[in-house]
Amino acid sequence: MEKPVSILIIYTGGTIGMVNDPVTGTLVPIDFVHISDQVPELRRFGFTMKTVTFDPVIDSSDVSPDTWVRLAGTIYENYEKYDGFVVLHGTDTMAYSASALSFMLQGLEKPVIFTGAQLPIGVLRTDGKENLITAVEIAAARENGLPVVPEVCIYFENKLLRGNRTVKYSSEHFNAFVSPNLPPLAEAGLQIRYNHNIIRYPTVRRRLTLSDSFDTDVAVLRLFPGIRKETVHAIISSPGLRGLILETYGTGNAPTAGWFLEELGSFIGRGGIVLNVTQCQAGGVEMGLYETSAGLLRAGVISGRDITTEAAVTKMMILLGSGMAGDRISSSLSRPLCGEMS
Ligand code: ASP
């Protein structure tokens, strides 16, 4: 007889498992037993399912690189024992965590599916039940003995999105996430339709390796008309800063003022790394298209192409933490490592 599919559910917290605190009235996380009681349907799959619960469970605003180390470490330690992994996580920083794990788990050949909810699972109209049930089904999906989606993904509402391409888009709608520059890897309707052309399949068999060292000496500088020289200077010259994500206009454009380019130039001259990402919801950076980005190119700013800020931040932190030399970090930033940019 064939062995039943085995799934490890890692519960970190988030709205999916929250209840109203009777004293404060605010939403606070509860344990997984309460969640599974609300979704008895899970047992009908016939899979072997185990759960690991973070202690304490957290609202995802409290996520930090330590959380990612714990999360990726749990997957790494249990990698051989399970066919797939489901991560229950708050929606607020889910795109950061999914991005981080995609860079940490190199050589991944099994599904790691993040999901959560906009409404707690105990609420009648919750989106959490469907999200959890379908995430488990996707994590368990196999064709010809191999996992259908061997990637870190976010499943939400009815779409499966590549984790490092995803942004939280709505704080209100069940359809909370979008992947503006990549179509969904799957859509769930009457059936779950997989987009096999977009899913990344391993070309050579590799062992899973875990990178779990982060350097948080990074900053995100979002430009706006009227931004002050002192503000830019304060951020760029903050002690220890090694990497700057510059959120620019349109196709990667920025002010042409001398002081601005000099600030960036001197940071890069001191060994700092600047990655250009667009403020636009979709599309990417194309430096040199306008004169307003040619100066950035000359100063040594790297194009982030169509990467999301969430993926840019986590990629920068993990590359800086790797101990690689600056030129290797720059070259890794300018090319896709695991499908995070086109
Ligand atoms: N504040 C919650 C969290 O991110 C929101 C959610 O889960 O939807 O943990």
Side-chain angles (χ1 to χ4, degrees):
M1 217 175 72
E2 231 181 277
K3 215 165 97 286
V5 177
S6 55
I7 302 294
L8 183 65
I9 298 175
I10 307 171
Y11 171 46
T12 68
T15 296
I16 191 162
M18 289 192 184
V19 289
N20 273 102
D21 184 301
V23 181
T24 62
T26 57
L27 283 168
V28 289
I30 48 158
D31 59 33
F32 187 78
V33 180
H34 288 88
I35 298 184
S36 54
D37 284 353
Q38 302 287 341
V39 199
E41 297 91 331
L42 280 178
R43 284 179 218 124
R44 289 177 37 201
F45 276 130
F47 304 149
T48 304
M49 264 182 277
K50 287 262 157 48
T51 310
V52 170
T53 300
F54 270 34
D55 183 17
V57 283
I58 54 171
D59 184 297
S60 77
S61 300
D62 282 324
V63 160
S64 70
D66 288 345
T67 319
W68 302 332
V69 170
R70 223 170 125 200
L71 199 46
T74 305
I75 293 170
Y76 185 75
E77 281 157 24
N78 289 285
Y79 192 65
E80 296 307 328
K81 274 195 254 158
Y82 294 91
D83 297 307
F85 302 84
V86 171
V87 180
L88 298 181
H89 192 290
T91 59
D92 289 346
T93 61
M94 192 186 287
Y96 288 92
S97 295
S99 297
L101 261 70
S102 75
F103 300 119
M104 297 173 82
L105 298 167
Q106 291 293 320
L108 183 74
E109 294 183 353
K110 294 183 180 183
V112 175
I113 313 297
F114 279 72
T115 196
Q118 293 280 61
L119 272 181
I121 209 142
V123 172
L124 212 53
R125 285 180 53 249
T126 185
D127 51 332
K129 270 192 187 190
E130 196 281 327
N131 284 348
L132 174 56
I133 291 169
T134 308
V136 168
E137 184 163 348
I138 292 170
R142 297 175 80 77
E143 268 174 24
N144 306 321
L146 292 170
V148 179
V149 193
E151 291 205 38
V152 179
C153 298
I154 290 181
Y155 177 75
F156 221 84
E157 180 64 358
N158 62 341
K159 291 190 179 65
L160 182 72
L161 307 172
R162 177 171 300 150
N164 58 28
R165 289 295 196 130
T166 304
V167 292
K168 183 171 177 184
Y169 160 80
S170 173
S171 59
E172 185 180 348
H173 294 124
F174 287 155
N175 210 342
F177 290 91
V178 290
S179 160
N181 291 320
L182 192 77
L185 306 193
E187 286 184 75
L190 288 183
Q191 291 174 356
I192 302 176
R193 293 202 185 277
Y194 293 97
N195 203 343
H196 293 278
N197 295 335
I198 296 177
I199 299 170
R200 295 178 81 235
Y201 291 101
T203 44
V204 282
R205 295 223 62 176
R206 285 200 289 158
R207 269 179 67 90
L208 180 73
T209 56
L210 174 67
S211 303
D212 59 0
S213 177
F214 289 88
D215 185 336
T216 54
D217 288 321
V218 302
V220 179
L221 174 57
R222 185 179 174 90
L223 298 178
F224 56 90
I227 191 165
R228 289 169 61 226
K229 185 178 171 178
E230 292 75 11
T231 308
V232 171
H233 179 75
I235 292 172
I236 292 185
S237 59
S238 61
L241 188 74
R242 295 181 65 203
L244 181 73
I245 316 272
L246 191 64
E247 285 195 341
T248 56
Y249 310 126
T251 52
N253 306 312
T256 52
W259 65 263
F260 179 72
L261 293 170
E262 276 157 29
E263 281 289 351
L264 291 178
S266 86
F267 177 62
I268 293 168
R270 300 195 296 273
I273 296 173
V274 183
L275 184 67
N276 187 351
V277 305
T278 179
Q279 294 180 11
C280 289
Q281 303 298 314
V285 163
E286 218 180 306
M287 283 197 291
L289 189 64
Y290 292 88
E291 182 50 31
T292 43
S293 63
L296 300 179
L297 200 56
R298 283 193 293 271
V301 171
I302 301 163
S303 172
R305 290 145 68 170
D306 60 354
I307 198 167
T308 62
T309 297
E310 289 84 337
V313 168
T314 49
K315 184 176 180 181
M316 180 84 95
M317 289 202 285
I318 206 146
L319 288 173
L320 290 174
S322 70
M324 282 197 294
D327 54 341
R328 278 193 62 206
I329 295 178
S330 301
S331 106
S332 299
L333 281 170
S334 57
R335 65 188 163 85
L337 300 181
C338 45
E340 74 279 14
M341 52 196 204
S342 307

